[in-house]
């Protein structure tokens, strides 16, 4: 009745922002992401009939914040009448700071919970359970370039290109490690209800998905760079125009964008993307990674820089 799984966070190049069904946590739009290799969440789930309540330990300390959502995730996989669980999570990057920590956490928890009870779920079933806990988590089940397709009543995830076929590098510039003030779930709802740009965002998403899919299949870096930056800035425009406005950037975020523009001007194959947080992810061809890293390290306000390649999907690390 126990299992451990590991999952990597993913970074969306064509973003998920907004929900069409709050109850089932179904996204309003499809999305395309890359799964990272060197950032991870390891999640151990042990079901124990003697426990009266679920317990969560994160990086060695008791943690109540994520517990209700993780308990619901286990209920979805195992059923509400399940034994309570001792959940232990280990994560090697800042949590809730715009680095997709919920994606890797819920992907790992879903895989571990299913294994803990010896349940063999299809990829589709895993995606829908993980996605219900956190929309972006379904994408961390798979590796490389992953598309989340929004179907009429559910979602489906598939790999568009393996990490080995197009081994890009991601340089993450950390400009702030504190958790964000407004979580994505709440911010998405504010955007849906108040942003004058929201309906246009949803309507145009299929075009952006098509352009990105085409770029990935051709491995056309310039095309992917242009559509990913456009889609990212469009998502932030939706947020900025919401009431109240949601601005996740700080001054170092903007300076990182300028650094990336300068690198592009010097001929480097690099583009930026930013999620619901102030960190900047610079996606680049591997031969430019050292220069991109040095330039971001030297950018004022950058606290830390992490470099990673693209990785595989969630997997078990220990049999029960
Ligand atoms: C993404 N983000 O596509 C977008 C871009 C943030 C900005 O998916 O409410 O934590 O749990 O389904 O998965 C963050 O959203 O949101 C997210 P819920 P989640 O990566």
């Amino acid at each position: 009745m126990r299992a451990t799984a590991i999952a990597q966070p993913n970074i969306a190049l064509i973003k998920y922002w907004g929900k069409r069904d709050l109850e089932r946590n179904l996204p309003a739009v499809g999305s395309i992401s890359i799964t990272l290799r060197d950032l991870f969440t390891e999640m151990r789930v042990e079901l124990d009939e003697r426990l009266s309540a679920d317990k969560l330990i994160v990086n060695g300390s008791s943690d109540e914040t994520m517990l209700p959502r993780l308990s619901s995730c286990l209920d979805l996989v195992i059923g509400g009448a399940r034994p309570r669980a001792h959940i232990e999570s280990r994560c090697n990057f800042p949590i809730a700071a715009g680095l997709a920590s919920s994606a890797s956490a819920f992907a790992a928890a879903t895989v571990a919970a299913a294994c803990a009870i010896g349940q063999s779920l299809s990829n589709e079933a895993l995606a829908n359970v993980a996605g219900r806990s956190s929309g972006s988590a379904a994408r961390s089940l798979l590796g490389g370039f992953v598309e989340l397709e929004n179907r009429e009543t559910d979602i489906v995830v598939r790999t568009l290109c393996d990490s080995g076929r197009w081994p890009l590098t991601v340089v993450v510039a950390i400009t702030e490690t504190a958790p964000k003030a407004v979580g994505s779930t709440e911010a998405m709802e504010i955007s849906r209800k108040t942003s004058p740009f929201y309906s246009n965002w949803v309507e145009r998403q299929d075009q952006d998905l098509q352009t990105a899919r085409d770029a990935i299949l051709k491995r056309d870096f310039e095309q992917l760079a242009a559509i990913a930056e456009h889609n990212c800035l469009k998502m932030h425009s939706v947020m900025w125009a919401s009431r109240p406005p949601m601005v996740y950037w700080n001054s170092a975020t903007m300076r990182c964008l300028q650094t990336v523009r300068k690198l592009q001007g010097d001929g480097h194959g690099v583009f930026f993307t930013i999620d619901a947080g102030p960190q900047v992810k610079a996606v680049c061809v591997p031969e430019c990674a050292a220069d991109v890293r040095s330039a971001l390290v030297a950018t004022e306000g950058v606290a830390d820089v992490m470099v990673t390649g693209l990785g595989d999907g969630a997997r078990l690390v220990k049999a029960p």
Side-chain angles (χ1 to χ4, degrees), residues 10-12 14-17 19 25 31 69 100 102-103 131 133-137 139 180 184-186 188 235 239 274-276:
N10 68 77
I11 304 294
I14 303 298
K15 311 285 189 188
Y16 148 48
W17 195 252
K19 299 173 196 287
N25 201 37
S31 51
R69 285 176 74 191
S102 64
S133 300
S134 184
S136 54
R139 299 186 312 231
K180 53 196 164 200
S184 308
T185 307
E186 185 187 346
M188 283 186 208
M235 178 187 75
M239 296 181 191
I274 306 160
D275 293 295

Side-chain angles (χ1 to χ4, degrees), residues 22 192 196:
L22 263 182
R192 184 180 68 79

Side-chain angles (χ1 to χ4, degrees), residues 23-25 40 47 58 66 68 105 107 110 120 140 164 175 178 182 206 210 216 220 233 257 288 303 310 313-314:
E23 174 80 9
R24 289 184 297 157
N25 201 37
F40 68 86
L47 298 163
V58 177
M66 280 269 278
T110 303
S120 166
S140 276
T175 65
V182 185
D206 280 349
Q210 180 57 45
I216 292 163
D220 181 333
L233 293 176
L257 258 55
C288 293
L310 305 191

